């Protein structure tokens, strides 16, 4: 596996899931694979779970790890072609990337959407430059449009907690005070479509995700109807994807607080489990009583980030 961006990069999903539980049983079983190998983690944006879980996974596999926060201690990087670099950016990504590749065997990249230019974001411009110019295997640690390590961990968590063979899983939009990317909901939708679940997406009208991620999911604009009989509720805000109106891309076009997941919302479900990728804004996305309830599985979900990343890095090490 030379790159990891989408669910199809893993190949057969059942084999990847079996591998995940094998690694969860013995996290150091494949430690020999990473001996004398180095992972470089590049962060253009903040991180807690991604940084900690990815570094831990690499260490479990015997790797050395270099972490570079581009915004703290590195030269400011220019990402656009054809510009006159007379501002505060001292180095171009096109020189920086191959230099980074000289010092490692594998690269993880975290670079969020700018939310101003949909075409630029959805072309995954920054990530694709790493894939093209680094000369090393590259995996996504959340990009402009996807967060596959999170979605893989979400699926592992659902598999662990499901009570029926084919559970009903609902991705619900919830309000937020800031404009957030669509990466997490995009990947969650993509992975749920690939899994054997009854998948529903619910959000206010105008917040439709890109059709290539929605896939075969049922879209329901009535949140209560969507929640009925659900086994898992995955709450997440996203800014307007600009699908129905390109001018709205990256904007907050709804702050409807009736979409906040509270006890009444969860009462519509089939004793459903509450999920969120974290960090979460309490009182906006979810109320305290729901996220602190026995049905909240946000912590085990976060813990599974180590497992999903271990599978991905293992596969890449095997291909070196």
């Amino acid at each position: 596996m030379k790159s990891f961006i989408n669910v199809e990069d893993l190949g057969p999903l059942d084999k990847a899931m079996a591998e995940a539980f094998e690694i969860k049983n013995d996290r150091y079983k494949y430690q020999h694979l990473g001996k004398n190998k180095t992972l470089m983690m590049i962060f253009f944006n903040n991180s807690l779970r991604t940084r900690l879980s990815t570094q831990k996974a690499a260490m479990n596999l015997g790797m050395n790890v270099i972490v570079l926060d581009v915004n703290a201690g590195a030269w400011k990087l220019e990402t656009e072609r054809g510009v006159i670099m007379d501002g505060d950016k001292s180095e171009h990504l096109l020189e920086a990337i191959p230099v980074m590749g000289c010092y490692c065997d594998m690269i993880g990249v975290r670079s969020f959407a700018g939310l101003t230019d949909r075409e630029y974001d959805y072309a995954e411009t920054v990530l694709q430059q790493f894939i093209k110019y680094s000369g090393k295997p590259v995996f996504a640690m959340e990009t402009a449009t996807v967060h596959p390590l999170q979605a893989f961990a979400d699926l592992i968590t659902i598999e662990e907690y499901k009570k029926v063979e084919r559970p009903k899983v609902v991705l619900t939009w919830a309000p937020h005070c800031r404009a957030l990317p669509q990466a997490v909901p995009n990947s969650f939708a993509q992975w749920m479509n690939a899994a054997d679940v009854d998948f529903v997406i619910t959000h206010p009208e105008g917040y439709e995700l890109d059709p290539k991620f929605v896939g075969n999911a049922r879209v329901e604009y009535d949140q209560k109807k969507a929640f009925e009989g659900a086994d898992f509720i995955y709450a997440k805000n996203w800014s307007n994807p600009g699908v129905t109106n390109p001018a709205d891309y990256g904007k907050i076009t709804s702050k409807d607080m009736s979409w906040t997941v509270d006890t009444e919302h969860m009462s519509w479900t089939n004793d459903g489990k509450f999920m969120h990728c974290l960090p979460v804004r309490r009182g906006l996305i979810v109320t305290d009583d729901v996220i602190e309830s026995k049905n909240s599985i946000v912590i085990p979900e976060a813990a599974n980030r180590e497992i999903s990343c271990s599978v991905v890095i293992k596969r890449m090490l095997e291909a070196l």
Side-chain angles (χ1 to χ4, degrees):
M1 188 165 66
K2 294 295 185 182
S3 63
F4 175 70
I5 306 171
N6 299 306
V7 63
E8 55 265 24
D9 295 329
L10 276 183
L13 195 52
D14 57 343
K15 291 184 179 179
M17 291 294 287
E19 203 167 321
F21 288 109
E22 178 193 20
I23 288 173
K24 191 162 188 176
N25 235 9
D26 184 356
R27 294 165 200 242
Y28 306 102
K29 182 176 180 179
Y30 296 100
Q31 200 171 45
H32 61 282
L33 291 175
K35 185 178 180 181
N36 297 329
K37 299 291 193 302
T38 299
L39 166 67
M40 183 175 287
M41 299 162 59
I42 313 294
F43 290 90
F44 290 85
N45 300 93
N46 294 340
S47 174
L48 189 151
R49 277 147 296 278
T50 296
R51 175 169 177 169
L52 297 179
S53 62
T54 307
Q55 187 165 353
K56 181 66 165 64
M59 292 167 63
N60 290 352
L61 290 162
M63 299 189 79
N64 302 310
V65 181
I66 299 172
V67 179
L68 178 63
D69 183 343
V70 171
N71 300 309
W75 298 113
K76 288 189 177 180
L77 295 175
E78 178 59 66
T79 60
E80 298 282 354
R81 284 180 172 274
V83 296
I84 297 173
M85 291 174 57
D86 58 356
D88 63 344
K89 296 175 180 177
S90 306
E91 185 163 10
H92 202 287
L93 204 59
L94 294 182
E95 285 78 62
I97 290 172
V99 169
M100 293 175 193
C102 294
Y103 307 138
C104 65
D105 301 281
M106 186 186 307
I107 298 176
V109 180
R110 183 174 178 91
S111 178
F112 291 175
L115 296 179
T116 56
D117 185 336
R118 190 181 194 279
E119 185 177 348
Y120 181 89
D121 287 344
Y122 272 72
E124 289 291 4
T125 307
V126 173
L127 179 69
Q128 290 301 329
Q129 288 184 87
F130 274 92
I131 292 172
K132 185 173 182 179
Y133 298 112
S134 70
K136 304 295 179 179
V138 175
F139 63 90
M141 300 192 302
E142 188 171 357
T143 69
T145 66
V146 292
H147 197 351
L149 291 173
Q150 179 64 55
F152 189 8
D154 296 334
L155 184 57
I156 293 167
T157 309
I158 288 170
E159 185 65 25
E160 287 180 314
Y161 282 88
K162 71 181 186 181
K163 296 178 181 177
V164 296
E165 189 60 31
R166 192 170 188 270
K168 181 179 179 180
V169 179
V170 177
L171 169 63
T172 181
W173 179 92
H176 203 281
C177 55
R178 296 179 59 194
L180 299 183
Q182 299 99 44
V184 169
N186 282 346
S187 275
F188 187 75
Q190 186 183 53
W191 285 68
M192 291 304 107
N193 275 312
D196 187 21
V197 301
D198 176 13
F199 182 48
V200 180
I201 303 174
T202 184
H203 53 72
E205 291 194 42
Y207 270 80
E208 291 78 10
L209 297 170
D210 192 297
K212 72 179 181 181
F213 295 110
V214 174
N216 296 321
R218 284 188 290 128
V219 177
E220 175 55 66
Y221 297 107
D222 183 329
Q223 193 185 30
K224 183 175 183 179
K225 187 175 179 181
F227 274 46
E228 288 174 354
D231 300 290
F232 295 91
I233 298 297
Y234 197 102
K236 184 69 179 79
N237 173 266
W238 59 90
S239 61
N240 197 302
V243 172
T244 56
N245 184 2
D248 286 337
Y249 176 65
K251 295 179 180 178
I252 298 174
T253 51
S254 175
K255 290 186 178 180
D256 188 346
M257 293 293 289
S258 71
W259 285 77
T260 300
V261 180
D262 58 17
T263 302
E264 182 184 357
H265 285 72
M266 295 304 291
S267 72
W268 304 333
T269 71
N270 181 31
D271 194 32
K273 301 293 186 184
F274 177 80
M275 302 179 70
H276 189 278
C277 61
L278 302 181
V280 65
R281 298 266 186 156
R282 292 184 179 214
L284 288 174
I285 301 290
V286 61
T287 56
D288 289 347
D289 52 349
V290 170
I291 198 168
E292 294 176 14
S293 74
K294 64 179 179 59
N295 279 12
S296 172
I297 54 175
V298 297
I299 304 304
E301 179 185 359
N304 278 329
R305 290 292 306 280
E306 177 187 342
I307 307 306
S308 64
C309 194
S310 295
V311 174
V312 170
I313 294 176
K314 172 185 172 289
R315 295 277 186 94
M316 288 189 155
L317 285 169
E318 289 172 334
L320 287 177

